Coordinates of all heavy atoms in Angstrom, one line a residue:
M48 N 41.4 45.0 -69.6 CA 40.5 46.0 -70.1 C 41.2 47.4 -70.2 O 42.1 47.7 -69.4 CB 39.3 46.1 -69.1 CG 38.3 47.2 -69.4 SD 36.7 46.8 -68.9 CE 35.8 47.9 -70.0
W49 N 40.7 48.2 -71.1 CA 41.3 49.5 -71.3 C 40.6 50.4 -70.3 O 39.4 50.3 -70.0 CB 41.0 50.1 -72.7 CG 41.8 49.3 -73.8 CD1 41.2 48.5 -74.7 CD2 43.2 49.4 -74.0 NE1 42.2 48.0 -75.5 CE2 43.4 48.5 -75.1 CE3 44.2 50.0 -73.4 CZ2 44.7 48.3 -75.7 CZ3 45.5 49.8 -74.0 CH2 45.7 49.0 -75.1
F50 N 41.4 51.4 -69.8 CA 40.9 52.4 -68.9 C 41.4 53.8 -69.4 O 42.6 53.9 -69.8 CB 41.4 52.2 -67.5 CG 40.7 51.0 -66.8 CD1 41.2 49.7 -67.0 CD2 39.5 51.2 -66.1 CE1 40.6 48.6 -66.4 CE2 38.9 50.1 -65.6 CZ 39.4 48.8 -65.7
A51 N 40.5 54.8 -69.3 CA 40.9 56.2 -69.6 C 41.2 56.8 -68.3 O 40.4 56.9 -67.4 CB 39.7 56.9 -70.3
I52 N 42.5 57.3 -68.2 CA 42.9 58.0 -67.0 C 43.0 59.5 -67.4 O 43.8 59.8 -68.3 CB 44.3 57.5 -66.5 CG1 44.1 56.0 -66.1 CG2 44.8 58.3 -65.3 CD1 45.4 55.3 -65.9
I53 N 42.2 60.3 -66.8 CA 42.1 61.7 -67.2 C 42.5 62.6 -66.0 O 41.9 62.6 -65.0 CB 40.7 62.1 -67.6 CG1 40.2 61.1 -68.8 CG2 40.6 63.6 -68.1 CD1 38.7 61.0 -69.0
G54 N 43.6 63.3 -66.2 CA 44.1 64.2 -65.2 C 43.8 65.6 -65.5 O 44.0 66.0 -66.7
T55 N 43.3 66.4 -64.6 CA 43.0 67.8 -64.8 C 43.9 68.6 -64.0 O 44.1 68.4 -62.8 CB 41.5 68.1 -64.4 OG1 40.6 67.3 -65.1 CG2 41.2 69.6 -64.6
D56 N 44.7 69.5 -64.7 CA 45.7 70.3 -64.1 C 45.2 71.4 -63.1 O 44.1 71.9 -63.3 CB 46.6 71.0 -65.1 CG 47.5 70.1 -65.8 OD1 47.3 68.8 -65.8 OD2 48.5 70.6 -66.4
V57 N 46.0 71.7 -62.2 CA 45.8 72.9 -61.4 C 46.1 74.1 -62.2 O 46.8 74.0 -63.2 CB 46.7 72.9 -60.1 CG1 46.4 71.7 -59.2 CG2 48.2 72.9 -60.4
P58 N 45.7 75.3 -61.9 CA 46.1 76.5 -62.7 C 47.6 76.7 -62.6 O 48.3 76.3 -61.6 CB 45.4 77.6 -61.9 CG 44.2 77.0 -61.3 CD 44.7 75.6 -60.9
D59 N 48.2 77.2 -63.7 CA 49.6 77.5 -63.7 C 50.5 76.3 -63.4 O 51.4 76.3 -62.6 CB 50.0 78.6 -62.8 CG 49.2 79.9 -63.2 OD1 49.1 80.2 -64.4 OD2 48.7 80.6 -62.2
S60 N 50.2 75.1 -64.0 CA 50.9 73.9 -63.7 C 52.2 73.7 -64.5 O 52.9 72.7 -64.3 CB 50.0 72.7 -64.0 OG 49.6 72.7 -65.4
L61 N 52.5 74.5 -65.4 CA 53.5 74.3 -66.4 C 54.9 74.0 -65.8 O 55.5 73.0 -66.2 CB 53.7 75.5 -67.4 CG 54.6 75.2 -68.6 CD1 54.2 74.0 -69.4 CD2 54.7 76.4 -69.5
E62 N 55.3 74.7 -64.8 CA 56.6 74.5 -64.2 C 56.7 73.2 -63.4 O 57.6 72.4 -63.5 CB 57.1 75.6 -63.3 CG 57.4 76.9 -64.1 CD 58.4 76.7 -65.2 OE1 59.4 76.0 -65.0 OE2 58.1 77.2 -66.3
K63 N 55.6 72.9 -62.8 CA 55.4 71.6 -62.1 C 55.5 70.4 -63.1 O 56.1 69.4 -62.8 CB 54.2 71.5 -61.2 CG 54.1 72.4 -60.1 CD 52.8 72.4 -59.4 CE 52.7 73.3 -58.2 NZ 51.4 73.3 -57.5
R64 N 54.8 70.6 -64.2 CA 54.8 69.6 -65.3 C 56.2 69.3 -65.8 O 56.7 68.2 -65.9 CB 54.0 70.0 -66.4 CG 52.6 69.6 -66.4 CD 51.8 70.0 -67.7 NE 50.5 69.4 -67.7 CZ 50.3 68.2 -68.2 NH1 51.2 67.6 -68.9 NH2 49.1 67.7 -68.2
K65 N 56.9 70.4 -66.0 CA 58.3 70.3 -66.6 C 59.2 69.5 -65.6 O 60.0 68.7 -66.1 CB 58.9 71.7 -66.8 CG 58.3 72.4 -68.1 CD 58.9 73.7 -68.2 CE 58.4 74.5 -69.4 NZ 59.0 75.8 -69.6
S66 N 59.1 69.8 -64.3 CA 60.0 69.1 -63.4 C 59.6 67.7 -63.2 O 60.5 66.8 -63.0 CB 60.0 69.9 -62.0 OG 58.7 69.7 -61.4
A67 N 58.4 67.3 -63.3 CA 57.9 65.9 -63.1 C 57.9 65.1 -64.3 O 57.7 63.9 -64.3 CB 56.6 65.9 -62.3
R68 N 58.0 65.7 -65.5 CA 57.8 65.0 -66.8 C 58.7 63.8 -67.0 O 58.2 62.8 -67.4 CB 57.9 66.0 -67.9 CG 57.5 65.4 -69.3 CD 57.4 66.4 -70.4 NE 56.8 65.8 -71.6 CZ 57.4 65.1 -72.5 NH1 58.7 64.8 -72.3 NH2 56.8 64.6 -73.5
P69 N 60.0 63.9 -66.7 CA 60.8 62.7 -67.0 C 60.3 61.4 -66.2 O 60.2 60.4 -66.8 CB 62.2 63.1 -66.5 CG 62.2 64.6 -66.7 CD 60.8 65.0 -66.3
A70 N 59.9 61.6 -65.0 CA 59.4 60.4 -64.2 C 58.1 60.0 -64.7 O 57.8 58.8 -64.8 CB 59.4 60.8 -62.7
H71 N 57.2 60.9 -65.1 CA 55.9 60.6 -65.7 C 56.1 59.8 -67.0 O 55.4 58.8 -67.2 CB 55.1 61.9 -65.9 CG 53.8 61.8 -66.6 ND1 52.7 61.3 -66.0 CD2 53.5 62.1 -67.9 CE1 51.7 61.4 -66.9 NE2 52.2 61.8 -68.0
V72 N 56.9 60.3 -67.9 CA 57.1 59.6 -69.1 C 57.7 58.3 -69.0 O 57.4 57.3 -69.7 CB 58.0 60.5 -70.1 CG1 58.4 59.8 -71.3 CG2 57.2 61.8 -70.5
A73 N 58.6 58.1 -68.0 CA 59.2 56.8 -67.7 C 58.2 55.8 -67.4 O 58.2 54.6 -67.8 CB 60.3 56.9 -66.6
R74 N 57.2 56.2 -66.6 CA 56.1 55.2 -66.2 C 55.3 54.9 -67.5 O 54.9 53.7 -67.6 CB 55.2 55.8 -65.2 CG 55.9 55.9 -63.8 CD 54.9 56.5 -62.8 NE 54.1 55.4 -62.2 CZ 52.8 55.4 -62.1 NH1 52.1 56.5 -62.4 NH2 52.1 54.4 -61.6
L75 N 55.0 55.9 -68.3 CA 54.3 55.6 -69.5 C 55.1 54.7 -70.5 O 54.5 53.8 -71.1 CB 53.9 56.9 -70.3 CG 53.0 57.8 -69.5 CD1 52.8 59.1 -70.2 CD2 51.6 57.2 -69.4
Q76 N 56.4 54.9 -70.5 CA 57.2 54.1 -71.4 C 57.2 52.6 -70.9 O 57.2 51.7 -71.7 CB 58.7 54.6 -71.3 CG 59.6 53.8 -72.3 CD 59.2 53.9 -73.7 OE1 59.1 55.0 -74.2 NE2 59.1 52.8 -74.4
Q77 N 57.1 52.4 -69.6 CA 57.0 51.0 -69.1 C 55.7 50.4 -69.5 O 55.7 49.2 -70.0 CB 57.1 51.1 -67.5 CG 57.0 49.7 -66.9 CD 57.1 49.7 -65.4 OE1 57.3 50.7 -64.8 NE2 57.1 48.5 -64.9
L78 N 54.6 51.1 -69.5 CA 53.4 50.6 -70.0 C 53.5 50.2 -71.5 O 53.0 49.2 -72.0 CB 52.2 51.6 -69.8 CG 51.7 51.8 -68.4 CD1 50.6 52.8 -68.4 CD2 51.2 50.5 -67.8
L79 N 54.1 51.1 -72.2 CA 54.3 50.9 -73.7 C 55.1 49.7 -73.9 O 54.8 48.8 -74.8 CB 54.9 52.2 -74.3 CG 55.1 52.1 -75.8 CD1 53.8 52.0 -76.5 CD2 55.9 53.3 -76.3
D80 N 56.2 49.5 -73.2 CA 57.1 48.4 -73.4 C 56.4 47.1 -73.0 O 56.7 46.0 -73.6 CB 58.3 48.5 -72.5 CG 59.3 49.6 -72.9 OD1 59.1 50.1 -74.0 OD2 60.1 50.0 -72.1
E81 N 55.4 47.1 -72.1 CA 54.6 46.0 -71.8 C 53.4 45.7 -72.7 O 52.7 44.8 -72.5 CB 54.1 46.1 -70.3 CG 55.2 46.1 -69.3 CD 54.7 46.6 -67.9 OE1 53.5 46.9 -67.8 OE2 55.5 46.6 -67.0
G82 N 53.3 46.6 -73.7 CA 52.1 46.5 -74.7 C 50.8 46.9 -74.1 O 49.8 46.4 -74.5
R83 N 50.8 47.7 -73.0 CA 49.6 48.1 -72.3 C 49.2 49.5 -72.5 O 48.2 50.0 -71.9 CB 49.8 47.8 -70.8 CG 50.1 46.3 -70.5 CD 50.5 46.1 -69.1 NE 49.6 46.8 -68.2 CZ 49.9 47.2 -66.9 NH1 51.1 46.9 -66.5 NH2 49.0 47.7 -66.2
L84 N 49.9 50.3 -73.4 CA 49.5 51.7 -73.6 C 49.0 51.8 -75.0 O 49.6 51.5 -76.0 CB 50.8 52.6 -73.4 CG 50.5 54.1 -73.6 CD1 49.7 54.6 -72.5 CD2 51.9 54.8 -73.6
L85 N 47.8 52.4 -75.1 CA 47.2 52.7 -76.4 C 47.6 54.0 -76.9 O 48.0 54.2 -78.0 CB 45.6 52.5 -76.3 CG 44.8 52.7 -77.6 CD1 45.2 51.6 -78.6 CD2 43.4 52.6 -77.3
V86 N 47.4 55.0 -76.0 CA 47.8 56.4 -76.3 C 47.9 57.2 -75.0 O 47.3 56.9 -74.0 CB 46.7 57.0 -77.3 CG1 45.4 57.2 -76.6 CG2 47.2 58.3 -77.9
A87 N 48.7 58.2 -75.1 CA 48.9 59.1 -73.9 C 49.3 60.5 -74.4 O 50.0 60.6 -75.4 CB 49.9 58.6 -72.9
G88 N 48.8 61.6 -73.8 CA 49.3 62.9 -74.1 C 48.5 64.0 -73.4 O 47.5 63.7 -72.7
P89 N 49.0 65.2 -73.5 CA 48.5 66.3 -72.7 C 47.4 67.0 -73.6 O 47.3 66.9 -74.8 CB 49.7 67.2 -72.5 CG 50.5 67.0 -73.8 CD 50.3 65.6 -74.1
F90 N 46.6 67.8 -72.8 CA 45.6 68.7 -73.5 C 46.2 70.1 -73.4 O 46.3 70.8 -72.4 CB 44.3 68.7 -72.6 CG 43.6 67.4 -72.6 CD1 43.4 66.8 -71.3 CD2 43.2 66.7 -73.7 CE1 42.7 65.6 -71.2 CE2 42.6 65.5 -73.6 CZ 42.3 64.9 -72.3
P91 N 46.6 70.7 -74.6 CA 47.2 72.0 -74.6 C 46.1 73.0 -74.2 O 44.9 72.9 -74.5 CB 47.6 72.3 -76.1 CG 47.6 70.9 -76.7 CD 46.7 70.0 -75.9
A92 N 46.5 74.1 -73.5 CA 45.6 75.1 -73.1 C 45.0 76.0 -74.2 O 44.0 76.6 -74.1 CB 46.2 76.0 -72.0
I93 N 45.8 76.0 -75.3 CA 45.4 76.7 -76.5 C 45.5 75.8 -77.7 O 46.1 74.7 -77.7 CB 46.2 78.0 -76.7 CG1 47.7 77.6 -76.9 CG2 46.0 79.0 -75.6 CD1 48.6 78.8 -77.3
D94 N 44.9 76.2 -78.8 CA 44.9 75.4 -80.1 C 46.2 75.5 -80.8 O 46.4 76.3 -81.7 CB 43.7 75.9 -80.9 CG 43.6 75.1 -82.2 OD1 44.2 74.0 -82.3 OD2 42.9 75.6 -83.1
A95 N 47.2 74.8 -80.2 CA 48.6 74.8 -80.8 C 49.4 73.6 -80.3 O 49.2 73.2 -79.2 CB 49.3 76.1 -80.3
P96 N 50.2 73.0 -81.2 CA 51.0 71.9 -80.8 C 52.0 72.2 -79.7 O 52.3 71.4 -78.9 CB 51.7 71.4 -82.0 CG 51.2 72.3 -83.2 CD 50.3 73.3 -82.6
D97 N 52.4 73.5 -79.6 CA 53.3 73.9 -78.6 C 52.6 75.2 -78.0 O 52.7 76.3 -78.5 CB 54.7 74.3 -79.1 CG 55.6 74.8 -78.0 OD1 55.2 74.9 -76.8 OD2 56.8 75.1 -78.3
P98 N 51.9 75.0 -76.8 CA 51.2 76.1 -76.2 C 52.1 77.1 -75.5 O 51.5 78.1 -75.0 CB 50.2 75.4 -75.3 CG 51.0 74.2 -74.9 CD 51.8 73.7 -76.1
G99 N 53.4 76.9 -75.5 CA 54.2 77.8 -74.8 C 53.8 78.1 -73.4 O 53.4 77.2 -72.7
P100 N 53.9 79.3 -72.9 CA 53.6 79.6 -71.5 C 52.1 79.4 -71.2 O 51.8 79.4 -70.0 CB 53.9 81.1 -71.4 CG 54.0 81.7 -72.8 CD 54.3 80.5 -73.7
A101 N 51.2 79.2 -72.1 CA 49.8 78.9 -71.8 C 49.7 77.5 -71.1 O 48.8 77.3 -70.3 CB 49.0 78.9 -73.1
G102 N 50.7 76.7 -71.5 CA 50.7 75.4 -70.8 C 49.6 74.4 -71.2 O 49.2 74.4 -72.3
F103 N 49.2 73.6 -70.2 CA 48.3 72.5 -70.5 C 47.2 72.5 -69.4 O 47.4 73.0 -68.4 CB 49.1 71.1 -70.4 CG 50.2 71.1 -71.5 CD1 51.5 71.5 -71.1 CD2 49.9 70.7 -72.7 CE1 52.5 71.5 -72.1 CE2 51.0 70.7 -73.7 CZ 52.2 71.1 -73.4
T104 N 46.1 71.8 -69.8 CA 45.0 71.8 -68.9 C 44.8 70.4 -68.3 O 43.9 70.2 -67.4 CB 43.7 72.2 -69.6 OG1 43.4 71.3 -70.6 CG2 43.8 73.6 -70.1
G105 N 45.5 69.4 -68.8 CA 45.4 68.1 -68.3 C 46.0 67.1 -69.2 O 46.8 67.4 -70.1
S106 N 45.7 65.8 -68.9 CA 46.3 64.7 -69.7 C 45.3 63.6 -69.9 O 44.4 63.4 -69.1 CB 47.5 64.1 -69.0 OG 48.5 65.1 -68.7
L107 N 45.5 62.8 -70.9 CA 44.7 61.6 -71.2 C 45.7 60.4 -71.3 O 46.7 60.5 -72.1 CB 43.9 61.7 -72.4 CG 43.2 60.4 -73.0 CD1 42.2 59.9 -72.0 CD2 42.6 60.7 -74.3
I108 N 45.4 59.3 -70.7 CA 46.2 58.1 -70.8 C 45.1 57.0 -71.0 O 44.2 56.8 -70.3 CB 47.0 57.7 -69.5 CG1 48.0 58.8 -69.2 CG2 47.7 56.4 -69.7 CD1 48.6 58.8 -67.8
L109 N 45.3 56.2 -72.1 CA 44.5 55.0 -72.4 C 45.4 53.8 -72.2 O 46.3 53.6 -73.0 CB 43.9 55.0 -73.8 CG 42.8 56.1 -74.0 CD1 42.3 56.1 -75.4 CD2 41.6 55.8 -73.1
A110 N 45.2 53.0 -71.2 CA 46.0 51.9 -70.8 C 45.3 50.7 -70.4 O 44.1 50.8 -69.9 CB 47.0 52.4 -69.8
D111 N 45.9 49.6 -70.5 CA 45.3 48.3 -70.2 C 45.7 47.9 -68.7 O 46.9 47.9 -68.4 CB 45.8 47.2 -71.1 CG 45.2 45.9 -70.9 OD1 44.1 45.8 -70.4 OD2 45.9 44.9 -71.2
F112 N 44.7 47.6 -67.9 CA 44.9 47.2 -66.5 C 43.9 46.0 -66.3 O 42.9 45.9 -66.9 CB 44.6 48.3 -65.5 CG 45.6 49.4 -65.5 CD1 45.5 50.5 -66.3 CD2 46.8 49.3 -64.8 CE1 46.4 51.5 -66.4 CE2 47.7 50.3 -64.8 CZ 47.6 51.4 -65.6
P113 N 44.3 45.1 -65.4 CA 43.4 44.0 -65.1 C 42.1 44.4 -64.4 O 41.1 43.6 -64.5 CB 44.3 43.1 -64.1 CG 45.7 43.5 -64.3 CD 45.6 45.0 -64.7
S114 N 42.1 45.5 -63.7 CA 40.9 45.9 -63.1 C 40.9 47.5 -62.9 O 41.9 48.1 -62.9 CB 40.8 45.3 -61.7 OG 41.8 45.8 -60.8
Q115 N 39.7 48.0 -62.6 CA 39.6 49.4 -62.2 C 40.4 49.8 -61.0 O 41.1 50.8 -61.0 CB 38.1 49.8 -62.0 CG 37.9 51.2 -61.5 CD 37.1 52.0 -62.5 OE1 36.4 51.5 -63.3 NE2 37.1 53.3 -62.3
A116 N 40.4 48.9 -60.0 CA 41.1 49.2 -58.8 C 42.6 49.3 -59.1 O 43.3 50.2 -58.6 CB 40.9 48.1 -57.8
E117 N 43.1 48.4 -60.0 CA 44.6 48.5 -60.3 C 44.9 49.8 -61.2 O 45.9 50.4 -61.0 CB 45.0 47.2 -61.0 CG 45.0 46.1 -60.1 CD 45.5 44.8 -60.7 OE1 46.6 44.8 -61.2 OE2 44.8 43.8 -60.7
A118 N 44.0 50.1 -62.0 CA 44.2 51.4 -62.8 C 44.2 52.6 -61.9 O 45.0 53.5 -62.0 CB 43.1 51.5 -63.9
E119 N 43.2 52.6 -60.9 CA 43.2 53.7 -60.0 C 44.4 53.8 -59.1 O 45.0 54.8 -58.8 CB 41.9 53.6 -59.1 CG 40.7 53.9 -59.9 CD 39.4 53.6 -59.1 OE1 39.4 53.1 -58.0 OE2 38.3 53.9 -59.7
A120 N 44.9 52.6 -58.7 CA 46.1 52.6 -57.8 C 47.3 53.1 -58.6 O 48.1 53.8 -58.1 CB 46.4 51.1 -57.3
W121 N 47.4 52.7 -59.9 CA 48.5 53.2 -60.7 C 48.4 54.7 -60.9 O 49.4 55.4 -60.7 CB 48.5 52.5 -62.1 CG 49.6 52.8 -63.0 CD1 50.8 52.1 -63.1 CD2 49.7 53.9 -63.9 NE1 51.6 52.7 -64.0 CE2 51.0 53.8 -64.5 CE3 48.8 54.9 -64.3 CZ2 51.4 54.7 -65.5 CZ3 49.3 55.8 -65.2 CH2 50.5 55.7 -65.8
A122 N 47.2 55.2 -61.2 CA 47.1 56.6 -61.4 C 47.4 57.4 -60.1 O 47.9 58.5 -60.2 CB 45.7 56.9 -61.9
K123 N 47.0 56.9 -59.0 CA 47.2 57.6 -57.7 C 48.7 57.9 -57.4 O 48.9 58.9 -56.7 CB 46.6 56.7 -56.6 CG 46.6 57.4 -55.2 CD 46.1 56.4 -54.2 CE 44.7 56.7 -53.8 NZ 44.2 55.9 -52.7
V124 N 49.6 57.1 -57.9 CA 51.0 57.4 -57.6 C 51.8 58.0 -58.8 O 53.0 57.9 -58.9 CB 51.7 56.1 -57.1 CG1 51.1 55.7 -55.7 CG2 51.6 55.0 -58.0
D125 N 51.1 58.5 -59.8 CA 51.7 59.2 -60.9 C 52.6 60.3 -60.4 O 52.2 61.0 -59.5 CB 50.7 59.7 -61.9 CG 51.3 60.1 -63.2 OD1 51.8 61.3 -63.2 OD2 51.3 59.4 -64.2
P126 N 53.7 60.5 -61.0 CA 54.6 61.7 -60.6 C 53.9 63.0 -60.7 O 54.2 63.9 -60.0 CB 55.8 61.6 -61.6 CG 55.9 60.1 -61.8 CD 54.5 59.6 -61.9
Y127 N 53.0 63.2 -61.7 CA 52.2 64.4 -61.8 C 51.3 64.6 -60.5 O 51.1 65.8 -60.1 CB 51.4 64.5 -63.0 CG 52.2 64.8 -64.3 CD1 51.6 64.9 -65.5 CD2 53.6 65.2 -64.2 CE1 52.3 65.2 -66.7 CE2 54.3 65.5 -65.4 CZ 53.6 65.5 -66.6 OH 54.3 65.9 -67.7
V128 N 50.8 63.6 -60.0 CA 50.0 63.7 -58.8 C 50.9 64.1 -57.6 O 50.6 65.0 -56.9 CB 49.3 62.3 -58.4 CG1 48.7 62.4 -57.0 CG2 48.3 62.0 -59.5
D129 N 52.0 63.4 -57.5 CA 53.0 63.7 -56.4 C 53.5 65.2 -56.5 O 53.7 65.8 -55.5 CB 54.2 62.8 -56.4 CG 53.8 61.3 -56.1 OD1 52.7 61.1 -55.5 OD2 54.6 60.4 -56.4
A130 N 53.7 65.7 -57.7 CA 54.2 67.0 -57.9 C 53.2 68.1 -57.8 O 53.5 69.3 -57.9 CB 54.9 67.1 -59.3
G131 N 51.9 67.7 -57.7 CA 50.8 68.7 -57.5 C 50.4 69.3 -58.9 O 49.8 70.3 -58.9
V132 N 50.7 68.6 -60.0 CA 50.2 69.0 -61.3 C 48.7 68.9 -61.5 O 48.1 69.8 -62.0 CB 51.0 68.2 -62.4 CG1 50.4 68.6 -63.8 CG2 52.5 68.5 -62.4
Y133 N 48.2 67.7 -61.0 CA 46.8 67.4 -61.2 C 46.0 67.9 -60.0 O 46.3 67.6 -58.9 CB 46.6 65.9 -61.4 CG 47.1 65.3 -62.6 CD1 47.5 64.0 -62.7 CD2 47.2 66.1 -63.8 CE1 48.0 63.4 -63.8 CE2 47.7 65.5 -65.0 CZ 48.1 64.2 -65.0 OH 48.5 63.6 -66.1
A134 N 44.9 68.6 -60.3 CA 43.9 68.9 -59.3 C 43.0 67.7 -59.0 O 42.5 67.5 -57.9 CB 43.0 70.1 -59.8
S135 N 42.8 66.9 -60.1 CA 42.0 65.7 -59.9 C 42.3 64.7 -61.0 O 42.9 65.1 -62.1 CB 40.5 66.1 -60.1 OG 40.2 66.6 -61.4
V136 N 42.0 63.5 -60.7 CA 42.3 62.4 -61.7 C 41.0 61.5 -61.7 O 40.6 61.1 -60.6 CB 43.5 61.6 -61.3 CG1 43.7 60.4 -62.3 CG2 44.8 62.4 -61.3
S137 N 40.5 61.2 -62.9 CA 39.4 60.2 -62.9 C 39.9 59.0 -63.8 O 40.7 59.2 -64.7 CB 38.2 60.9 -63.5 OG 38.4 61.2 -64.9
V138 N 39.3 57.9 -63.4 CA 39.6 56.6 -64.1 C 38.3 56.0 -64.5 O 37.5 55.8 -63.7 CB 40.5 55.7 -63.2 CG1 40.7 54.4 -63.9 CG2 41.7 56.3 -62.7
K139 N 38.2 55.8 -65.9 CA 36.9 55.2 -66.4 C 37.2 54.0 -67.3 O 38.2 54.1 -68.1 CB 36.2 56.3 -67.2 CG 35.8 57.5 -66.4 CD 35.1 58.5 -67.3 CE 34.7 59.7 -66.4 NZ 33.9 60.6 -67.2
P140 N 36.5 53.0 -67.2 CA 36.6 51.9 -68.2 C 36.4 52.4 -69.6 O 35.5 53.3 -69.8 CB 35.5 50.9 -67.8 CG 35.1 51.2 -66.4 CD 35.4 52.7 -66.3
F141 N 37.1 51.9 -70.6 CA 37.0 52.4 -72.0 C 36.9 51.2 -72.9 O 37.7 50.2 -72.8 CB 38.2 53.2 -72.3 CG 38.3 53.6 -73.7 CD1 37.6 54.7 -74.2 CD2 39.1 53.0 -74.6 CE1 37.7 55.1 -75.5 CE2 39.2 53.4 -76.0 CZ 38.5 54.5 -76.4
L142 N 36.0 51.2 -73.8 CA 35.8 50.2 -74.9 C 36.1 50.8 -76.2 O 35.5 51.8 -76.6 CB 34.4 49.6 -74.9 CG 33.9 48.9 -73.6 CD1 32.5 48.5 -73.8 CD2 34.8 47.7 -73.4
Q143 N 37.1 50.3 -76.9 CA 37.5 50.8 -78.2 C 36.5 50.2 -79.2 O 36.4 49.0 -79.4 CB 39.0 50.3 -78.5 CG 39.4 50.9 -79.9 CD 40.8 50.5 -80.2 OE1 41.6 50.0 -79.4 NE2 41.2 50.7 -81.4
A144 N 35.8 51.1 -79.9 CA 34.9 50.7 -80.9 C 35.5 50.9 -82.3 O 35.4 50.0 -83.2 CB 33.6 51.6 -80.9
L145 N 36.2 52.0 -82.6 CA 36.8 52.2 -83.9 C 38.2 52.9 -83.6 O 38.3 53.7 -82.7 CB 36.0 53.1 -84.7 CG 34.7 52.5 -85.2 CD1 33.8 53.6 -85.9 CD2 34.9 51.3 -86.1
P146 N 39.2 52.7 -84.4 CA 39.2 51.6 -85.4 C 39.2 50.2 -84.6 O 39.6 50.2 -83.5 CB 40.5 51.7 -86.1 CG 41.4 52.5 -85.2 CD 40.5 53.4 -84.4
R147 N 38.7 49.2 -85.3 CA 38.6 47.9 -84.6 C 40.0 47.4 -84.3 O 40.9 47.5 -85.2 CB 37.9 46.9 -85.5 CG 36.4 47.3 -85.7 CD 35.6 46.2 -86.3 NE 34.3 46.6 -86.7 CZ 33.3 46.8 -85.9 NH1 33.4 46.7 -84.6 NH2 32.1 47.1 -86.4
A148 N 40.2 46.9 -83.1 CA 41.5 46.4 -82.7 C 41.7 45.0 -83.3 O 40.9 44.3 -83.6 CB 41.5 46.3 -81.2

């Protein structure tokens, strides 16, 4: 089943994000390589593809996991969690309606 993993950043998270990004992206790449990643990306703090020093307010990951518990366990050990980038993380089941898979 697909799960939406939504991380909400702490204020002024940009430097923490930069330092933890390689490890964070490596985990996402592993999901992609396994065919389990639908989409992932950050929420810019401003309406711009490169928000510069404004940074980001969080992230969205849509990934396939066997259960909610496994999705939550995966999210709990994300490098952004370990680095203190996220103030909170929520995991919700997701059903893709459109486009049809």
Side-chain angles (χ1 to χ4, degrees):
M48 173 152 203
W49 293 109
F50 289 88
I52 300 169
I53 305 160
T55 302
D56 284 23
V57 299
D59 301 316
S60 64
L61 188 56
E62 291 308 312
K63 291 177 182 178
R64 267 183 171 270
K65 287 179 181 178
S66 67
R68 188 171 192 277
H71 173 76
V72 170
R74 290 182 85 227
L75 294 173
Q76 184 64 52
Q77 182 178 0
L78 288 177
L79 183 62
D80 293 345
E81 295 170 357
R83 297 173 48 207
L84 182 66
L85 184 62
V86 67
F90 300 122
I93 60 173
D94 182 13
D97 180 359
F103 301 91
T104 62
S106 303
L107 170 66
I108 300 165
L109 289 175
D111 182 31
F112 289 92
S114 69
Q115 174 120 13
E117 290 182 58
E119 289 173 354
W121 185 91
K123 184 184 260 187
V124 295
D125 188 282
Y127 281 177
V128 171
D129 293 340
V132 173
Y133 292 150
S135 65
V136 177
S137 65
V138 178
K139 299 178 180 189
F141 175 79
L142 297 175
Q143 182 179 350
L145 293 173
R147 295 196 192 281

